[in-house]
Amino acid sequence: MADVLIEARGLRKVHAPRGAAAPTEAVAGIDFRVTAGEAFGFLGPNGAGKSTTMRMVAAVSPPSSGRLEILGMDPATHGPQIRARLGSVPQDDTLDTELTVRENLLVYGRYFGLPRAVIRERAARLLEFARLADKADEQVEALSGGMRRRLTIARSLVNDPEILLLDEPTTGLDPQARHLLWERLFRLKQQGVTLLLTTHYMDEAEQLCDRIVVMDHGRIVAEGSPRGLIEAHCTREVLELRFPPDRQQQAAEKIADTAKGVDARVEVLPDRLLVYADDGEDALTAVHRTGVEPLTALVRRAGLEDVFLTLTGRTLVD
Amino acid sequence: MPVALWRSPAVAGPAALVERNLVIYRHTWYLLLAEVFEPVLYLVSMGLGIGALVGHVPGLGDPSVGYVDFVAPALLATAAMNGAMNETTFNIYGKLRMLRTYDSILATPLTVRDVALGEVAWALLRGTAVTVVFGAAVAAFGLVHSLWALLILPGALLVAFAFAAAGLAVVTYIRSWQDFQLVQLVMLPMFLFATTFYPLGVYPRPVQIGVECLPLYQSIELIRQPSLGVVDAGVGWAALYLLLLGCASLALALRRLERMLLP
């Protein structure tokens, strides 16, 4: 059995605001374990407690209760020792804007107590890895969003971490920048770095993660591999139907009646209907037989978005 | 042994932060000159200008003490104070609230304690640098009188420490740039009335007691006495006062920063 690098039992975080406001439970008692070499994802909408969990694992936010062990140590007593072996990519880029691109790596390495010669050598290598070698002496402000993200990742690797924590690594990036980033993260995984990431993009979770937990309102509502989750909670295919807004309600009722007969399930979203069926084409034929005329009809494979919708009745990105 | 001490985590952590600030300062070293410029202006306008009218300072006993000799050490203490406190108030506020510099630093083995000590050490260095440059200017005016003047530098270090730590405590209470007006509301009157430009004797006794409680008054005593070559027990009390102020402020700042930065 592979080494367990992170283990959480009944992990809770309660934020107590100033004044009379009631405390809020951001993470409401979760259990999970991450083993060496794994790519482990937290999937959920904004406010699900993903980032709070990440901050606790990064040993920068003390848990309110429960047990948390990272690399066999307790973050409450061994914070610096744990952080020495982690790489952390927070949600907002926290690059040092008073420093140049290269200085960001050089100075960051010193926080880990690494010798200057070692950092210089690594910085050169990491700038190549992040495809920023030609920007080395520019100010951070001159970088695009994608470049900043890559620099933040490069910076998090300066101490050769065993675990890399990525909080929403590609949020706000254009498609090209996202794919480049995924490719770099995939390389790290192949080098044996354990990845822990949060995302509200199902394609990202499917691309990068071996195992996922779905979070909602501070709790874990499902756990498994991306494929396994889809198989367990969804049909194989999904039929997406769009109608003019004034006709959607009526169409939904008709289709729901038919669906009962063919063992399919219908979700009504504000802008479209989703029909969950093992054979999407069959479902479409059945829809046509009811005499309903959708504007567009699309059959696709079910994804994690559908898992989330099934589990919580809500969409991930709204 | 010194090498081992330097490598120990208790020192290496704060040292890494000082190193960061040094890297930035390589680009902005000229700001130091701007900070020295201000006290030099005061020295020239007040010391030489008003000094020509005043001659020597009444009530000090020694008639050979000129007005400029009297004002220079107070300006030196003020320079050490401002150099250190500007760093831990304005600059740290920016890093704390705007740039969020510490968020990424605390993801490394560095702790809040390392950050606080590092920033105070850095402010101390800056305060000292301002003092040394200004001190050289004062010496160039021929205002150094006795061997007691050797106490000026350690004195200035202590002043810088006390105000760096106090600034770090103050900055944890500041919610917006507007709040700095309140800081100015304390700092400017203190600069004007803490015996910078005239001796304590001009005040009636009840006011004197109030002035004696001001940290800048104690700082000026700490520097002015050795500078004029007339040293009494007041220097010891001033040193003790500033040391306690610095340590208490640092403890308060640490507690509050811990809660701010590691929610």
Side-chain angles (χ1 to χ4, degrees), chain A residues 13 18 55 59-62 80 83-84 88 94-100 103 107-108 110-112 116 155, chain B residues 16-17 19-20 23-24 26-27 95 99-101 103-111 256 261-263:
Chain A
K13 180 73 190 189
R18 282 178 174 279
R55 286 177 50 78
V60 293
S61 172
R83 293 195 296 272
S88 183
T94 52
L95 291 165
D96 206 322
T97 48
E98 296 182 85
L99 301 170
T100 67
E103 284 170 351
V107 168
Y108 209 70
R110 295 294 290 160
Y111 299 148
F112 290 88
R116 286 186 192 83
R155 188 184 67 173
Chain B
L17 202 86
E19 196 176 327
R20 170 201 177 268
V23 170
I24 293 164
R26 281 205 314 230
H27 307 300
K95 290 192 255 187
L99 307 174
R100 309 201 65 87
T101 310
D103 288 3
S104 60
I105 293 178
L106 292 172
T108 73
L110 263 60
T111 60
R256 291 186 50 86
L261 292 170
L262 302 178

Side-chain angles (χ1 to χ4, degrees), chain A residues 227-262:
Chain A
R227 267 292 105 201
L229 279 171
I230 294 164
E231 279 162 17
H233 299 280
C234 261
T235 52
R236 207 169 61 82
E237 289 186 322
V238 186
L239 170 63
E240 287 200 14
L241 301 170
R242 284 176 201 272
F243 295 93
D246 54 323
R247 276 178 39 213
Q248 171 159 308
Q249 187 55 40
Q250 188 195 352
E253 283 161 18
K254 266 192 179 170
I255 293 169
D257 285 342
T258 323
K260 275 180 207 143
V262 295

Side-chain angles (χ1 to χ4, degrees), chain A residues 252-275:
Chain A
E253 283 161 18
K254 266 192 179 170
I255 293 169
D257 285 342
T258 323
K260 275 180 207 143
V262 295
D263 196 24
R265 199 167 50 78
V266 181
E267 270 313 327
V268 183
L269 299 183
D271 61 335
R272 67 210 137 112
L273 295 184
L274 301 181
V275 182

